[in-house]
């Protein structure tokens, strides 16, 4: 039997540039992977609304994992049969992994009042305010605010307060994930668990084994990278490579964001005999 590769990718800072959210540097490689029929599956902190728009923009028709592993959206009919434990919502089969956003907002409001001055939550922001914080366009900021399973926070307090806050929220049953910009409050799900579940659905559909290749740049990608068969860390202009616990040495890009994304996947799948490929194998 042939092992089928599956590419799971973070978005912000990985496939999308950290500063301008462009993916233009990766288009040629995306087209090459599409020709080889290798699925590219977003695994992101982004919302359903953001990802549905992005799927249309870039031309993906694959499933996607949203809000840091909280939920998976599979286009109806993508697999021959609907996976178990999913429900139908619009044009998608949906697999949920945690409590809704309203649960976490209630916890923040009732159980974390002592930290209320230390952060700005998405639920308190207007689209215009989010634009100022992220350089998103008004349209993209509006989509980013429509969340269903988690609440991102912009931490404004010091690190000591942050660690105390995270410990407090963990004690209340929340799972805290630090992304490239925001601290995410959500359930005990992660990108790795969601990736494993979806990879199994592909294996069932293909009736063969699959190989998971994961790409990410920040701490909230660690679970996905650690669970993957091949972990690829994308260089960030804002922080060093996070430490991850894997049995094999992760591949690390030499370029930032989508350029690094394209660099590594081109070497692995499109030009495996290149000098870049040899450097990746030695990383």
């Amino acid at each position: 039997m042939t092992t089928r590769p599956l590419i799971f990718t973070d978005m912000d800072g990985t496939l999308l540039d950290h500063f301008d959210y462009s993916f233009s540097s990766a288009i040629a490689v995306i087209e090459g992977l599409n020709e080889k029929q290798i699925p590219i599956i977003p695994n992101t902190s982004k919302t359903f609304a953001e990802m549905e728009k992005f799927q249309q923009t870039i031309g993906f028709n694959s499933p996607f994992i949203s809000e840091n592993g909280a939920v998976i959206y599979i286009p109806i009919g993508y697999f021959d049969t609907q996976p178990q434990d999913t429900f139908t919502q619009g044009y998608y089969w949906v697999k949920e992994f945690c409590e809704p956003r309203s649960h976490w907002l209630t916890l923040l409001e009732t159980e974390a009042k002592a930290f209320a001055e230390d952060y700005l939550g998405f639920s308190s922001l207007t689209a215009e305010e989010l634009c100022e914080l992220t350089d998103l366009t008004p349209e993209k900021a509006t989509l980013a605010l429509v969340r269903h399973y988690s609440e991102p926070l912009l931490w404004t307090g010091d690190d000591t307060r942050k660690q105390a806050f995270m410990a407090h929220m963990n004690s209340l049953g929340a799972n805290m994930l630090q992304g490239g910009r925001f601290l995410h409050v959500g359930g005990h799900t992660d990108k790795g668990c969601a990736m494993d579940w979806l990879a199994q659905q592909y294996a069932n559909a293909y009736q063969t084994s699959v190989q998971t290749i994961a790409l990410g740049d920040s701490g909230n990608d660690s679970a996905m990278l650690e669970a993957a068969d091949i972990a690829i860390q994308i260089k960030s202009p804002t922080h060093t490579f996070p430490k991850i616990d894997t049995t094999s040495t992760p591949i690390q890009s030499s370029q930032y964001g989508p350029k690094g994304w394209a660099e590594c996947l081109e070497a692995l799948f499109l030009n495996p005999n290149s000098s870049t490929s040899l450097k990746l194998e030695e990383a």
Side-chain angles (χ1 to χ4, degrees):
M1 296 194 304
T2 302
T3 299
R4 300 283 293 271
L6 305 172
I7 295 171
F8 290 83
T9 180
D10 174 50
M11 300 302 289
D12 293 343
T14 299
L15 180 52
L16 304 181
D17 183 82
H18 178 84
F19 298 106
D20 64 11
Y21 302 99
S22 170
F23 59 88
S24 60
S25 301
I27 290 176
V29 173
I30 290 171
E31 292 175 346
L33 294 169
N34 286 341
E35 289 178 5
K36 288 181 173 290
Q37 298 184 321
I38 299 174
I40 304 172
I41 304 152
N43 195 352
T44 177
S45 63
K46 287 185 176 297
T47 66
F48 168 78
E50 287 179 288
M51 284 310 304
E52 190 171 47
K53 182 71 173 180
F54 179 81
Q55 297 277 90
Q56 296 168 359
T57 300
I58 201 170
F60 285 174
N61 188 41
S62 57
F64 58 89
I65 301 168
S66 184
E67 297 194 44
N68 288 317
V71 59
I72 300 174
Y73 296 94
I74 304 168
I76 292 174
Y78 186 84
F79 298 124
D80 288 341
T81 58
Q82 180 175 353
Q84 292 184 351
D85 301 324
T86 65
F87 61 91
T88 300
Q89 178 179 300
Y91 299 105
Y92 297 90
W93 292 322
V94 181
K95 169 65 176 177
E96 292 181 320
F97 291 90
C98 77
E99 298 88 343
R101 183 191 192 189
S102 58
H103 174 79
W104 310 115
L105 290 177
T106 298
L107 277 185
L108 287 168
E109 182 179 353
T110 61
E111 304 294 336
K113 293 180 180 179
F115 299 95
E117 302 300 319
D118 292 301
Y119 64 82
L120 293 173
F122 266 37
S123 60
S124 68
L125 297 176
T126 65
E128 291 75 16
E129 289 169 334
L130 186 58
C131 285
E132 293 178 5
L133 293 173
T134 62
D135 294 326
L136 287 170
T137 64
E139 179 187 14
K140 290 180 179 179
T142 299
L143 296 177
L145 291 173
V146 184
R147 311 193 73 82
H148 299 291
Y149 297 94
S150 59
E151 173 70 353
L153 311 175
L154 179 66
W155 190 258
T156 58
D158 61 32
D159 190 62
T160 300
R161 293 280 294 173
K162 180 180 177 181
Q163 297 306 316
F165 170 73
M166 292 176 67
H168 178 65
M169 294 304 297
N170 285 336
S171 73
L172 297 173
N175 184 37
M176 309 299 293
L177 287 172
Q178 179 62 62
R181 281 187 177 87
F182 299 101
L183 181 63
H184 297 263
V185 183
H188 278 274
T189 63
D190 58 52
K191 292 182 176 184
C193 291
M195 178 184 72
D196 285 344
W197 185 90
L198 186 53
Q200 186 59 54
Q201 308 315 307
Y202 275 98
N204 294 343
Y206 289 157
Q207 289 294 293
T208 187
S209 59
V210 297
Q211 180 187 52
T212 53
I213 298 94
L215 301 96
D217 73 301
S218 65
N220 70 335
D221 299 314
S222 294
M224 172 178 67
L225 294 170
E226 290 172 355
D229 296 313
I230 298 177
I232 302 176
Q233 292 184 294
I234 303 301
K235 189 175 182 180
S236 171
T238 64
H239 55 77
T240 58
F241 291 112
K243 292 183 179 179
I244 59 173
D245 183 14
T246 59
T247 55
S248 58
T249 303
I251 294 169
Q252 295 179 334
S253 72
S254 63
Q255 300 191 69
Y256 298 116
K259 289 184 179 179
W261 189 96
E263 164 200 353
C264 293
L265 291 179
E266 180 177 23
L268 285 174
F269 293 108
L270 305 182
N271 193 12
N273 295 319
S274 70
S275 60
T276 302
S277 177
L278 294 176
K279 291 177 183 176
L280 292 177
E281 292 172 0
E282 294 167 357

